[in-house]
Amino acid sequence: RVERGTDYYIPVSATLLPTCFGASLTELCRHLYPFRATDSEKEVLAVKLEGQIKQNQLAYPKELWHLFNFLWLYGGIHERGLFHHSIDKTRRDFSGSEPFEKERITIRTCLDTGYEIPPPPTCSVHAVATTILELLQSTPGPVIPFDFFPRVDFDNVDMSSYCRKFLEQLPSLHQNVFIHTISFLRELLASENIVYNRLTPGILAKIFGDCLFRPDEVPLNNRPQNSSSGGFDFSQWLTGGESSAQKRKSCKSQAEHLVYYFISAEGIFT
């Protein structure tokens, strides 16, 4: 704008398209049909789903199921650096765009319209892995609600007993998403798969500790409503003399530690 020059007003309009990104886990499960499905498409799907869905709600978000199923179908469990290399934001293509940008747009559109995600090479397993992380992080709240954030001293608790109680207390929908995600990560770390994908529990715990728990968003000064997990009373730590940066670092460590145990301990779901 030129100083003291004429103001020019440019009208801008847009049509917003419904999308699963940004919806809560509850909203995802209440949408029995793709977010952009037409009425005629819903009628066809209603016939296919008749009698298969209880209480007009899914037990698990269909969008996540499609993404994880893609990784199963197209060799994602053997893909080197899955999730780890998938989020490498330092790479750019010749146009300066983020990695997998065009693929991710295609995948998002398929999730919202109900069309099948094109197989590789059109859409790679790394692009799908990135989309899984984006979808999980786009919900208004984390998969593990803040009231259930681990606030115990893991050095002084029986981890097996703690983890069982932790799972039992989670709301059923959040529990389903957490268990399904952890189960897939455990499969990635199976001995016959790590030969190919070169992943470690530490790598995945760091990525999914951030993704599932969002430790950077945990309220630092509020006592959790859920305080029956046992162990050290972390509410004292939350209001103690440490700086916010130190508390955030401790939160990240707590989240990583718990994910690490879930994906590496034997018989965790038995």
Side-chain angles (χ1 to χ4, degrees):
R1 180 177 180 275
V2 179
E3 186 176 355
R4 297 183 181 181
T6 304
D7 289 327
Y8 294 94
Y9 295 92
I10 303 174
V12 177
S13 61
T15 300
L16 298 179
L17 297 174
T19 179
C20 59
F21 288 82
S24 67
L25 293 180
T26 300
E27 289 175 305
L28 291 173
C29 287
R30 286 179 178 170
H31 269 78
L32 305 183
Y33 314 108
F35 275 64
R36 295 184 202 166
T38 63
D39 290 340
S40 59
E41 290 171 334
K42 289 179 181 179
E43 290 177 4
V44 173
L45 288 170
V47 174
K48 292 182 179 180
L49 295 175
E50 187 175 3
Q52 298 181 29
I53 298 175
K54 298 179 180 180
Q55 299 178 345
N56 244 9
Q57 181 168 322
L58 302 169
Y60 182 83
K62 60 189 178 303
E63 292 82 5
L64 281 174
W65 185 90
H66 285 302
L67 292 170
F68 278 114
N69 189 55
F70 184 98
L71 297 183
W72 275 107
L73 290 175
Y74 297 107
I77 58 174
H78 288 165
E79 186 69 22
R80 185 166 183 171
L82 189 73
F83 292 112
H84 185 215
H85 293 167
S86 306
I87 59 173
D88 182 4
K89 299 299 185 184
T90 62
R91 293 180 296 166
R92 295 288 187 272
D93 61 23
F94 292 113
S95 66
S97 302
E98 289 187 354
F100 320 120
E101 183 174 6
K102 291 181 180 179
E103 296 173 59
R104 284 155 51 204
I105 291 173
T106 298
I107 295 166
R108 280 175 171 244
T109 302
C110 289
L111 293 177
D112 287 332
T113 57
Y115 289 99
E116 186 175 345
I117 300 172
T122 304
C123 291
S124 67
V125 292
H126 284 291
V128 169
T130 302
T131 306
I132 289 174
L133 298 177
E134 290 177 339
L135 181 57
L136 289 173
Q137 292 174 319
S138 75
T139 57
V143 172
I144 305 302
F146 293 134
D147 285 344
F148 297 88
F149 190 88
R151 292 176 168 93
V152 299
D153 181 358
F154 288 133
D155 291 333
N156 295 310
V157 297
D158 178 346
M159 286 300 295
S160 178
S161 175
Y162 173 84
C163 288
R164 283 196 297 272
K165 186 176 292 187
F166 174 81
L167 285 177
E168 290 170 358
Q169 293 176 342
L170 289 177
S172 59
L173 175 53
H174 293 257
Q175 183 188 90
N176 289 345
V177 174
F178 183 76
I179 290 177
H180 188 276
T181 304
I182 292 295
S183 297
F184 184 83
L185 300 183
R186 289 175 67 87
E187 188 63 32
L188 286 177
L189 295 172
S191 57
E192 65 270 22
N193 296 327
I194 59 174
V195 175
Y196 301 100
N197 61 43
R198 306 292 180 87
L199 293 169
T200 67
I203 289 173
L204 294 177
K206 182 176 179 61
I207 294 170
F208 283 87
D210 283 345
C211 180
L212 298 174
F213 290 84
R214 298 190 199 168
D216 289 337
E217 301 174 21
V218 173
L220 295 181
N221 298 317
N222 295 337
R223 185 184 179 90
Q225 295 177 19
N226 173 65
S227 57
S228 58
S229 296
F232 176 70
D233 183 2
F234 238 61
S235 62
Q236 297 178 5
W237 167 82
L238 287 172
T239 56
E242 284 189 309
S243 68
S244 294
Q246 289 172 316
K247 291 177 182 178
R248 289 293 178 203
K249 185 176 180 180
S250 296
C251 282
K252 290 176 74 71
S253 178
Q254 289 288 107
E256 288 177 26
H257 190 115
L258 192 55
V259 172
Y260 187 99
Y261 185 85
F262 268 107
I263 64 178
S264 59
E266 294 293 330
I268 193 67
F269 295 134
T270 57

